[in-house]
Amino acid sequence: MNVLVINAGSSSLKYQLMNPETGDVSAKGLCERIYIDGRLTHKVGDKKVVKDIPMPSHSEAISAVLDILVDPVDGVIKSVDEIDAVGHRVLHGGMEFSDSCIVNDDVIAAIKKCIPLGPLHNPANLMGIEACQAVMPKTPQVAVFDTAFHMTMPPKAYRYAIPTEYYENDDIRRYGFHGTSHKYVAKRTAELVGKKEFKMINCHLGNGSSLCAIKDGKCQDTTMGLSPLAGVPMGTRSGDIDACVVQFICNKYGMSVDECLNMLNKKSGVLALSGVSSDFRDLEAGEANGDENCILALNKFFYEVAKYIGAYAAALNGVDVITFTAGVGENGPDTRAAICSYLEFMGVKLDPEANNCRGKERLISAPDSKVQVWVVPTNEELMIAQDTAELVNAAK
Ligand code: AMP
């Protein structure tokens, strides 16, 4: 089976053509500068092709992707009919979606209803879906939501302690994000530990970071909230912050709430604390040179991640497995060691030699550790492709 996985952003669109059973990727790439001019970068194995193609909308971007996939020289299939289904990443499913689903008119209407909750991403995700429907009307489309995995949270985790009317009238609550990644890692970890019933805390640490408390494969709590701004500090996002900080800054500097939130989303996090970069490799280089601000940024990050692990161990009343994933989680042995050093009181003990790895699926805790610690590289595209295949096969 061939599944085309699409992740449409406001001016970009990433794609992968993959086999959901094997995880083999036959081609992948990126359309950039949609609405500006348009550039396609297409990769097949080690071969990379870059083409400037006018993309006045997402529709032309999708057409460019399909054209290159069937191109006699750079393509990997003979006809678009060889694409059995398309899986779309959709940011916000609100309270409408607790699972992935095949796209129909009702689904489109429900995704539109969620636009106020995901104003930057949902319109772009919808454009990706509608562009595919227009160009390949007979091919089933599946929507996979970043929020869906978290819909098993109990009310004590997802409700904010604010007047009920905002929940009842406006759907204001914790939703959580990176759900496709957390779901993939939870599923894969169950295979690795050979159990279905266990308590785990997944640390998705990348440019955006979130943690997820998972019991028997189901999300119990997660650090992001109504939006991806909440939780631990990230590359450029502040993470949790007292709402009065917004009031203070807006009043003192004459900023609008939107401007202040832009600052909290794009100019904060480890970028702000270090004054150097949002990239953990740069922070580690700064730390090695004794840069105090880089050291503070890293220490703040380790501390807040460890604090949430402690909180989630209490929320789950114990933890059997801690997993690290995403750019920093998979590639940062020092980050993992620093975080786990806070957890010795819980009997967490790393095997330093096993932990000295990057991007590999591996058990990194010592044999006598009370909690298993794993590195499990995430694969959101594979999860999207698998969900898509499952739904499309079930509907046959
Ligand atoms: P992601 O958002 O999952 O793509 O993760 C991006 C983050 O991963 C960036 O902050 C990178 O600095 C970090 N990262 C990628 N490779 C490495 C590495 N080898 N060592 C430390 N951090 C890394």
Side-chain angles (χ1 to χ4, degrees):
M1 190 175 193
N2 280 322
V3 175
L4 179 62
V5 176
I6 299 280
N7 182 355
S10 52
S11 67
S12 70
L13 184 149
K14 290 189 208 139
Y15 63 93
Q16 287 197 8
L17 186 66
M18 69 190 311
N19 178 327
E21 286 103 41
T22 61
D24 289 344
V25 177
S26 43
K28 64 178 175 181
L30 168 71
C31 298
E32 293 169 283
R33 301 175 61 84
I34 305 173
Y35 297 101
I36 306 167
D37 38 28
R39 169 166 294 179
L40 173 75
T41 306
H42 178 75
K43 287 185 194 159
V44 178
D46 293 336
K47 192 176 164 212
K48 181 168 138 183
V49 186
V50 181
K51 285 188 176 182
D52 288 330
I53 301 170
M55 296 175 189
S57 77
H58 282 76
S59 191
E60 289 78 12
I62 292 284
S63 295
V65 171
L66 296 179
D67 285 349
I68 200 145
L69 285 173
V70 300
D71 186 89
V73 179
D74 300 315
V76 287
I77 48 176
K78 287 200 183 72
S79 141
V80 170
D81 295 342
E82 288 176 48
I83 300 174
D84 299 292
V86 185
H88 295 267
R89 179 184 177 216
V90 181
L91 181 85
H92 219 305
M95 290 204 275
E96 307 284 328
F97 298 102
S98 55
D99 218 335
S100 307
C101 58
I102 295 185
V103 174
N104 57 29
D105 290 347
D106 291 343
V107 168
I108 299 244
I111 297 174
K112 281 190 182 147
K113 208 176 140 200
C114 298
I115 287 178
L117 296 169
L120 297 180
H121 293 83
N122 274 35
N125 303 150
L126 266 174
M127 279 188 271
I129 293 174
E130 286 173 341
C132 281
Q133 282 181 321
V135 186
M136 41 205 312
K138 290 199 197 113
T139 312
Q141 317 279 326
V142 168
V144 178
F145 300 91
D146 244 27
T147 48
F149 181 67
H150 302 302
M151 292 309 282
T152 50
M153 281 188 287
K156 65 184 176 187
Y158 71 69
R159 283 291 297 275
Y160 291 130
I162 60 172
T164 302
E165 65 207 68
Y166 299 112
Y167 171 67
E168 288 183 345
N169 300 339
D170 306 302
D171 297 346
I172 302 290
R173 49 162 279 177
R174 180 188 304 283
Y175 288 97
F177 297 87
H178 293 141
T180 312
S181 172
H182 290 300
K183 181 177 174 181
Y184 173 82
V185 176
K187 201 174 157 200
R188 183 69 196 133
T189 305
E191 289 166 3
L192 291 168
V193 301
K195 283 196 274 197
K196 281 198 172 136
E197 293 182 356
F198 63 101
K199 297 167 181 175
M200 69 176 269
I201 299 169
N202 184 37
C203 309
H204 177 113
L205 310 179
N207 189 36
S209 293
S210 70
L211 281 77
C212 188
I214 301 165
K215 183 165 181 280
D216 307 341
K218 293 202 161 61
C219 170
Q220 304 300 315
D221 205 346
T222 190
T223 52
M224 286 177 166
L226 175 78
S227 85
L229 179 61
V232 296
M234 310 177 208
T236 63
R237 295 188 195 122
S238 62
D240 295 338
I241 198 156
D242 181 341
C244 285
V245 171
V246 176
Q247 180 198 33
F248 184 97
I249 291 175
C250 288
N251 286 345
K252 175 149 190 205
Y253 295 98
M255 265 190 206
S256 66
V257 171
D258 282 1
E259 284 168 340
C260 189
L261 281 177
N262 192 47
M263 178 273 286
L264 293 175
N265 270 302
K266 299 201 173 136
K267 296 182 185 161
S268 299
V270 294
L271 168 69
L273 283 179
S274 69
V276 169
S277 172
S278 61
D279 191 304
F280 278 70
R281 284 165 289 200
D282 298 335
L283 302 182
E284 286 178 2
E287 180 191 35
N289 290 331
D291 183 321
E292 291 296 331
N293 296 327
C294 289
I295 293 170
L296 171 66
L298 287 170
N299 283 341
K300 172 77 177 163
F301 180 74
F302 304 151
Y303 175 70
E304 296 294 344
V305 172
K307 253 170 59 178
Y308 263 115
I309 295 176
Y312 285 172
L316 293 169
N317 198 1
V319 55
D320 303 303
V321 184
I322 295 170
T323 42
F324 286 97
T325 197
V328 183
E330 292 167 25
N331 297 298
D334 294 345
T335 294
R336 296 190 296 256
I339 292 166
C340 289
S341 71
Y342 282 100
L343 309 173
E344 283 164 11
F345 79 98
M346 301 171 20
V348 171
K349 200 167 155 194
L350 283 192
D351 172 345
E353 220 169 282
N355 182 41
N356 191 16
C357 66
R358 291 177 197 273
K360 282 201 182 79
E361 198 169 81
R362 190 184 267 190
L363 178 68
I364 58 168
S365 49
D368 58 342
S369 178
K370 284 202 184 127
V371 180
Q372 284 192 12
V373 185
W374 284 82
V375 176
V376 180
T378 194
N379 195 337
E380 291 167 87
E381 290 77 16
L382 179 58
M383 196 68 254
I384 293 173
Q386 286 178 347
D387 271 9
T388 301
E390 203 178 299
L391 283 167
V392 169
N393 286 332
K396 271 183 188 161

